[in-house]
Amino acid sequence: MSSLLRHNDGTSATPAIANIPAPQPEDYDWVLVSGFIVILTQVGFAFIGAGSVRYKNSQSVVIKVFLGLFLTVLIWWLFGYGFSFGNDFQTKFMGGTKLAGAKWEATAFGNDYTNFVFRASGAAVGTAILAGAAAERMTFLGWSIFSVLYSGFIYAGLTHWTLAAGWLSTLGFKDFSGAGVVFFAAGVAGLILTVLLKPRKARFDNGATLDFNRHSPLYIGFGSLLVLAGWLFYNGGVVSQGAKSQYIQGLVAVNTLIAGATGGFFSFVIRHFQYGTSNLAALSRGVICGLVAVSAAADDMKPWTAFLYGVIAALIYSFLAKVMPAAHIDDPAEVVSVYLGSGFVGIVLSALFDTKAGAFYGFGSKLLGHQLLGLLIIFAWVTFFTLIILLAFKGFGILRIDAETENVGIDKAQCLGEAIVFANQVDEMPLIQQTELGNLRSSQLGSGLRSAFK
């Protein structure tokens, strides 16, 4: 039984993570490449966001994702990286050095340049998630300012407390790659954001729940596959000592794949039993649910535990995906259902199945207390500052788009047209009057000609 529950790297009964050596120069190359790949997940998040909304707003979501990426990189260079990984002068609260690249070093004991690329790309993931919560309703100005404040301060603080061995990790909170500080936090901020933005016009009018069809489930599927591939590098890059710790690298990859695959499959099956349909969106979002959950402890579990994480994450997602519309909370990209729910699941389950401190392994409930306290602190920190920021936006009138823009669609109103413009919508219009089509009424021309482009 012990062989089933404990790690075994072929050399020692001690969990391999305890014997990981210091990073070597070749390991920094691995982390740097991982950062490059994680940046590419932005394409996946852009696909997911564009596919989750109505066609008339799909381009605007992609703009928000890319704006969030670029602004996150800039604010992290100026402040975020220093707040996260700078010297905190023994306060363990927030760093105060290494701002704007000052005194960055590349030595045998650390490489700020490589670490910045990897950690900034991770911060941008959280911002991309929130672009889904802001979809179809938030102004570009409000979104840009919020992206800077969230990634450069709210998230940077959480990073220092946990991923940079700050005060929360000192208390005993454990989070391998960010199930709590990245994804649960983004889910909390997404909940506050989508509630304050209020539902899209007519979404819940007269007590009814209207079905605002997603623009493209195909985009959601393609995007989720890109995110899955990038997530392997995201979780793998956290284990920076790859050259000397092949066992842990392989274990993290296996657990990440199994949890993602399990979450996708069971979400698909559950949705089929709920509604009798085969739902690509549920299949795709379920994959991400499993990835979020396993990120709490991908380095310290057996593959069968990763399977369990995926199953429970799928159950929680399926439940929240049904409850949110019933509660009249309009969440087009299902940010709350996917990230808040799965992040919570991952952190709580790690308290049970951590091989060095989990209750399932005979260590009692101490870690569970630490994990629940950590989640409460993350919730309070994110909620407090997100509320202040968004209420200020509302007061200045930069939170939500105006009614006319919402009716027409952000793409037409502010982005020079819809996401896809066919040549005959503009170029061939003068030719119509010279043909027999010019004698037909516009209603007889069908959807091939769109009045917005006349």
Side-chain angles (χ1 to χ4, degrees):
M1 181 68 173
S2 61
S3 63
L4 175 65
L5 303 181
R6 300 284 183 179
H7 291 298
N8 181 12
D9 63 358
T11 59
S12 171
T14 303
I17 190 70
N19 299 320
I20 292 179
Q24 302 299 310
E26 59 267 31
D27 296 318
Y28 296 127
D29 294 338
W30 160 249
V31 176
L32 188 62
V33 171
S34 296
F36 296 161
I37 302 300
V38 174
I39 288 289
L40 291 177
T41 63
Q42 297 289 315
V43 179
F45 286 113
F47 266 123
I48 292 171
S52 299
V53 301
R54 292 168 293 177
Y55 180 81
K56 64 181 181 178
N57 295 309
S58 58
Q59 183 180 181
S60 70
V61 179
V62 177
I63 291 175
K64 285 186 171 75
V65 171
F66 288 175
L67 273 177
L69 167 62
F70 303 146
L71 290 171
T72 295
V73 169
L74 293 176
I75 197 63
W76 257 65
W77 166 58
L78 292 171
F79 298 105
Y81 184 76
F83 289 163
S84 298
F85 296 98
N87 189 341
D88 62 12
F89 307 101
Q90 300 182 341
T91 64
K92 293 187 178 295
F93 184 76
M94 192 170 289
T97 62
K98 300 186 178 182
L99 303 177
K103 296 184 179 180
W104 286 11
E105 298 178 330
T107 68
F109 304 100
N111 190 323
D112 287 312
Y113 299 96
T114 295
N115 195 42
F116 169 79
V117 172
F118 183 74
R119 293 301 181 180
S121 65
V125 168
T127 311
I129 291 168
L130 288 173
E136 300 202 67
R137 293 160 294 174
M138 194 172 191
T139 66
F140 285 127
L141 176 59
W143 167 249
S144 298
I145 299 173
F146 181 70
S147 297
V148 168
L149 295 176
Y150 180 83
S151 60
F153 176 72
I154 297 175
Y155 171 72
L158 294 175
T159 300
H160 189 79
W161 298 354
T162 54
L163 303 181
W167 71 273
L168 194 53
S169 62
T170 301
L171 287 179
F173 180 77
K174 298 185 69 173
D175 190 357
F176 169 64
S177 67
V181 298
V182 180
F183 307 114
F184 176 76
V188 172
L191 176 61
I192 304 301
L193 183 57
T194 197
V195 168
L196 288 183
L197 282 170
K198 297 183 179 180
R200 290 166 289 179
K201 187 176 180 181
R203 180 73 167 92
F204 302 114
D205 281 4
N206 301 320
T209 300
L210 299 180
D211 184 14
F212 280 26
N213 290 327
R214 303 177 182 93
H215 161 227
S216 176
L218 290 177
Y219 282 5
I220 299 175
F222 296 153
S224 298
L225 186 59
L226 288 171
V227 170
L228 169 61
W231 216 292
L232 292 169
F233 286 88
Y234 176 72
N235 278 353
V238 174
V239 186
S240 58
Q241 304 84 354
K244 302 297 182 181
S245 305
Q246 293 90 343
Y247 169 68
I248 294 297
Q249 284 286 357
L251 179 67
V252 167
V254 168
N255 287 337
T256 301
L257 273 175
I258 288 177
T262 304
F265 173 73
F266 277 90
S267 294
F268 181 78
V269 171
I270 293 170
R271 189 64 59 91
H272 179 77
F273 280 106
Q274 282 180 320
Y275 302 105
T277 61
S278 299
N279 193 300
L280 176 58
L283 176 66
S284 304
R285 298 200 200 282
V287 172
I288 297 180
C289 289
L291 297 174
V292 170
V294 80
S295 296
D299 64 326
D300 197 22
M301 65 173 72
K302 278 282 191 176
W304 69 266
T305 312
F307 175 84
L308 183 63
Y309 275 52
V311 172
I312 297 178
L315 288 169
I316 297 298
Y317 159 68
S318 300
F319 171 74
L320 290 177
K322 193 170 184 177
V323 167
M324 293 286 286
H328 287 191
I329 298 176
D330 190 14
D331 187 10
E334 296 187 308
V335 168
V336 178
S337 303
V338 173
Y339 297 98
L340 190 154
S342 301
F344 180 88
V345 165
I347 294 298
V348 171
L349 289 181
S350 67
L352 304 177
F353 296 104
D354 186 287
T355 59
K356 296 184 289 294
F360 188 71
Y361 291 89
F363 293 98
S365 58
K366 187 176 182 179
L367 181 58
L368 179 60
H370 292 155
Q371 300 297 75
L372 291 175
L373 176 61
L375 289 172
L376 179 62
I377 291 170
I378 292 170
F379 182 88
W381 172 266
V382 174
T383 299
F384 178 75
F385 286 105
T386 301
L387 272 174
I388 290 177
I389 294 167
L390 296 182
L391 288 174
F393 288 178
K394 187 175 182 179
F396 285 105
I398 62 172
L399 180 62
R400 180 162 177 149
I401 58 176
D402 59 75
E404 182 179 356
T405 298
E406 186 170 4
N407 288 335
V408 174
I410 302 175
D411 290 1
K412 285 183 180 180
Q414 300 180 2
C415 305
L416 298 179
E418 293 176 328
I420 300 175
V421 180
F422 297 97
N424 64 351
Q425 291 177 326
V426 176
D427 298 338
E428 296 185 12
M429 187 61 66
L431 299 177
I432 292 178
Q433 299 175 354
Q434 304 175 21
T435 68
E436 60 182 8
L437 291 178
N439 298 322
L440 298 177
R441 296 190 305 272
S442 59
S443 61
Q444 295 176 284
L445 296 177
S447 60
L449 301 172
R450 305 170 88 154
S451 59
F453 295 94
K454 290 183 179 178

